[in-house]
Amino acid sequence: MVVAANSVGVSDTTEPSPSDASLRGLDAVNLLLAGALSGFGPFVAVFLAEQDWTQQNIGFVLTAAGFAGLLTQLPAGQLLDTIRSKRIVVALGATMVAAAALIIACWPSFPLVLTALVLQAITGGFLGLAIAAISLGLVGHAALGERLGRNQRFASTGGVVAAGLMGLIGYFLSYRAIFLAAAALVLPLLFALGRIQPSDIHFGRACGVPDHRGPSAPPRARHRNLWKNRSLLIFAGCVFLFQMANASMLPLAGEALVYGRVSLSSLIVSALIIVPQVIVALMAPWAGRRAKLGRRPLLLVGFAALPVRALLFAWTTDPMILIAAQVLDGVSGTMLGVLTTLIVADLTKGTGRFNLAQGFVGTISGVGASLSTTLSSLVASSLGHAAGFLGIAAVALAAVLLLWFLMPETNPSNGNER
């Protein structure tokens, strides 16, 4: 059910023709942004522990940052539907990431680190949405799937390479140097961003109104029309359940390995993180091309891989089986990474609310992820890690069933636009 019926016409009469410089610039932005952001996450906790922070203080600043990122998704989407220059949003966001990294590296006191992490989390609410908006504005709706697949490939490659390099930097130099390296990556990122030509980013296409012309803001559907979009609400519910199951999988697996006194557990956890990223880098362009034939089959594959993976994790702690099972995580990551934005674009074409809808789905996804670790930890601490993984499998199966029975195909070329 696409909301386009209540908006202006949606025929994209002008074939997008972005320059090669703009497309290559977007490739580099995805690569370098993922690299800069990889300096945060686990490295923050390790660095702060090295600075003699208590676990309570580390947990507090990380939780506060998570909430800040969650609360900015909707305002970020609203802003991106309104503002013409998406490049300025990315430039400001990248600069804020660099500033946050420098603050953590140079002044690791509680109030400054809290400010830096909240700043970085708020920025995260903008950057992902802005990259998707730029992509849609550059290539248009018909080519968006392939472009998103390419974005995922470069982002995954950047994340894997940077995580490896930063691990070496932390080992041979210091954990402080990791954040200096993350800040330094923002300089080439800004250069790459400058290669994306502003004239190539169509204002109307970038917020879901492809036939808009002129310098004025494109017309937008009313907010209530968006919240009445049944398919969008169902899809958000599916993503909520998926993230509620998925987000706690790796932390729970890491705990099981440590408590089971499995040798080389740190290296195994690293492999569990890297394998899915490699699969995403390999599969994402194919998924983007294949999505032209239909979104729903690929989405079902991505969702169905999660309960299978959870059952494998419940069954064994054998490192080789767990690492092999992470191929399924790569499949899920590929499908969700490419199709989430693409389906939101399908469901909001012609409304001028593409970015707001992205922010809505991102918020629901973040809520599911936040609940995931808490609930799974409660189950695992009471009934054991196997029970925790079985609970994850049950939630993941509920997501598959909701998708199977209620979520329609959204690809407009299949004639399902209603």
Side-chain angles (χ1 to χ4, degrees):
M1 183 180 76
V2 179
V3 198
N6 295 322
S7 61
V8 295
V10 296
S11 58
D12 196 350
T13 56
T14 302
E15 187 70 22
S17 54
S19 64
D20 289 340
S22 292
L23 295 175
R24 288 195 297 269
L26 184 55
D27 290 340
V29 167
N30 279 287
L31 182 81
L32 294 165
L33 180 59
L37 292 176
S38 69
F40 294 84
F43 291 119
V44 172
V46 174
F47 174 64
L48 294 179
E50 187 183 55
Q51 301 299 308
D52 296 324
W53 279 47
T54 64
Q55 282 188 323
Q56 290 85 352
N57 283 345
I58 293 173
F60 179 83
V61 295
L62 293 177
T63 301
F67 275 113
L70 196 61
L71 293 174
T72 56
Q73 291 280 310
L74 279 172
Q78 180 77 19
L79 176 66
L80 285 166
D81 280 331
T82 305
I83 192 170
R84 173 175 286 275
S85 179
K86 311 298 189 286
R87 297 193 320 153
I88 288 178
V89 174
V90 176
L92 289 175
T95 303
M96 290 168 70
V97 168
L102 290 174
I103 290 170
I104 293 170
C106 300
W107 302 285
S109 64
F110 182 86
L112 289 177
V113 169
L114 175 61
T115 301
L117 288 176
V118 168
L119 192 68
Q120 187 269 332
I122 290 173
T123 299
F126 283 80
L127 285 173
L129 303 183
I131 294 295
I134 289 173
S135 301
L136 182 57
L138 281 175
V139 304
H141 191 274
L144 182 60
E146 195 164 350
R147 179 66 247 180
L148 291 172
R150 192 172 177 88
N151 287 357
Q152 283 289 107
R153 165 169 282 182
F154 278 90
S156 294
T157 302
V160 169
V161 172
L165 290 176
M166 288 180 181
L168 292 174
I169 289 171
Y171 180 78
F172 288 106
L173 297 176
S174 68
Y175 285 111
R176 189 186 307 273
I178 290 174
F179 297 97
L180 298 176
L185 283 174
V186 172
L187 293 176
L189 189 158
L190 293 175
F191 176 78
L193 185 65
R195 291 179 56 81
I196 303 175
Q197 302 301 312
S199 57
D200 286 342
I201 306 171
H202 187 281
F203 188 15
R205 279 199 302 263
C207 57
V209 187
D211 63 345
H212 174 70
R213 300 289 179 269
S216 62
R220 297 180 188 83
R222 295 180 178 180
H223 286 95
R224 66 181 182 184
N225 292 334
L226 196 64
W227 312 136
K228 290 179 180 179
N229 185 343
R230 181 173 178 269
S231 293
L232 181 64
L233 297 178
I234 291 171
F235 180 61
C238 292
V239 174
F240 170 82
L241 290 172
F242 180 91
Q243 292 298 344
M244 191 174 173
N246 185 62
S248 59
M249 284 277 286
L250 275 184
L252 207 59
E255 290 178 13
L257 291 170
V258 171
Y259 291 139
R261 302 189 183 278
V262 176
S263 60
L264 303 176
S265 58
S266 62
L267 292 178
I268 295 169
V269 171
S270 296
L272 294 177
I273 295 170
I274 291 172
V275 167
Q277 295 297 321
V278 173
I279 298 300
V280 171
L282 293 174
M283 284 188 64
W286 171 85
R289 292 190 298 270
R290 180 63 180 76
K292 291 181 179 180
L293 303 178
R295 324 308 196 200
R296 195 167 178 271
L298 293 178
L299 203 59
L300 282 166
V301 169
F303 271 65
L306 181 56
V308 175
R309 176 168 151 250
L311 290 174
L312 287 172
F313 275 54
W315 172 54
T316 182
T317 57
D318 183 286
M320 291 297 101
I321 296 177
L322 296 183
I323 292 171
Q326 282 299 90
V327 172
L328 296 173
D329 189 26
V331 173
S332 295
T334 298
M335 302 312 175
L336 269 291
V338 172
L339 291 169
T340 298
T341 300
L342 189 56
I343 288 172
V344 171
D346 291 342
L347 295 172
T348 57
K349 188 176 182 184
T351 67
R353 298 292 185 185
F354 165 66
N355 295 293
L356 180 61
Q358 276 201 100
F360 168 67
V361 174
T363 300
I364 298 300
S365 173
V367 172
S370 299
L371 291 173
S372 177
T373 50
T374 301
L375 296 177
S376 294
S377 296
L378 288 174
V379 174
S381 61
S382 301
L383 302 175
H385 285 87
F389 286 119
L390 290 175
I392 288 172
V395 175
L397 182 59
V400 174
L401 294 175
L402 180 62
L403 180 68
W404 178 270
F405 287 109
L406 295 180
M407 185 67 197
E409 173 61 59
T410 64
N411 186 3
S413 66
N414 285 1
N416 292 314
E417 199 170 4
R418 310 180 258 155

